[in-house]
Amino acid sequence: MPNTPAKIGIVTVSDRAYQGEYEDRGGPAIREYLQQVMASPWEAVAKVIPDEREVLNQTLIGLSDDVGCCLIITTGGTGPAKRDLTPDVTTQVCDKILPGFGELMRKVSLEKVPTAILSRQTAGLRGNSLIINLPGQPKAIAECLDAVFPAIPYCIDLVEGPYLETNPERIEAFRPQKK
């Protein structure tokens, strides 16, 4: 159904944002980015959760299996600190890991800051859902999404998700030419 909005999960993984100690800036940055690049109708399913393995596990599984999000974007929890567990849980819940996403995002980030090498962001597939881990800083979120977003609509095509169109003035989705 072409007029049915695609569901996109936006998950902020942060103890302090969850507890209200500071304002979540990562989730809103993802939403703002999507508003700029998405041309097809979409609906955000946003959550702010603590850095807790079981909570993240259930959140990712629920957004994929129960809510039916074709794309789930996380922000936060990708570093080397003890409570940074987003990539670990993502790897656990996914059927297939797509390491190229993390490799490209680290490459782009390393051009900006040397500490990007500490980032462990990754991506993977769970059923018909693409799950992508992003860093927590809004500027880094946009830089990483600019790098990988051209491949996202085609990846979702390949797992039989909805046909996502982008705003070509902002991001051109890449789909191979049919012969």
Side-chain angles (χ1 to χ4, degrees):
M1 295 187 281
N3 292 332
T4 303
K7 291 183 181 162
I8 299 178
I10 300 172
V11 181
T12 300
V13 184
S14 168
D15 287 331
R16 293 183 299 156
Y18 178 74
Q19 294 166 352
E21 293 176 21
Y22 77 80
E23 181 184 357
D24 170 26
R25 292 176 34 232
I30 293 170
R31 183 187 299 258
E32 182 180 315
Y33 182 91
L34 292 171
Q35 288 169 342
Q36 293 172 17
V37 302
M38 292 291 294
S40 358
W42 64 281
E43 171 187 330
V45 182
K47 302 201 178 275
V48 178
I49 64 171
D51 291 281
E52 295 289 344
R53 183 176 298 275
E54 193 54 35
V55 173
L56 179 55
N57 184 294
Q58 291 305 312
T59 299
L60 294 177
I61 290 171
L63 288 171
S64 173
D65 300 4
D66 301 332
V67 178
C69 292
C70 63
L71 176 62
I72 301 166
I73 304 174
T74 70
T75 176
T78 60
K82 287 182 181 179
R83 292 194 52 83
D84 289 338
L85 47 81
T86 305
D88 309 292
V89 174
T90 298
T91 301
Q92 240 179 356
V93 303
C94 284
D95 308 314
K96 293 181 181 178
I97 297 302
L98 303 172
F101 280 87
E103 292 163 3
L104 181 56
M105 290 187 285
R106 274 185 294 282
K107 177 191 175 295
V108 167
S109 295
L110 275 168
E111 294 169 4
K112 310 289 183 192
V113 294
T115 54
I117 199 164
L118 301 175
S119 182
R120 300 179 309 120
Q121 66 238 49
T122 191
L125 298 169
R126 177 181 178 85
N128 298 80
S129 302
L130 172 60
I131 302 173
I132 302 174
N133 302 152
L134 297 177
Q137 295 300 319
K139 185 176 179 193
I141 287 168
E143 292 165 355
C144 289
L145 283 173
D146 278 347
V148 300
F149 212 89
I152 289 174
Y154 184 58
C155 181
I156 292 172
D157 290 350
L158 292 173
V159 297
E160 301 173 0
Y163 189 84
L164 300 181
E165 295 181 85
T166 58
N167 174 359
E169 295 171 8
R170 181 63 179 81
I171 290 282
E172 187 80 40
F174 178 82
R175 287 184 168 95
Q177 298 287 330
K178 293 184 179 181
K179 294 181 181 185

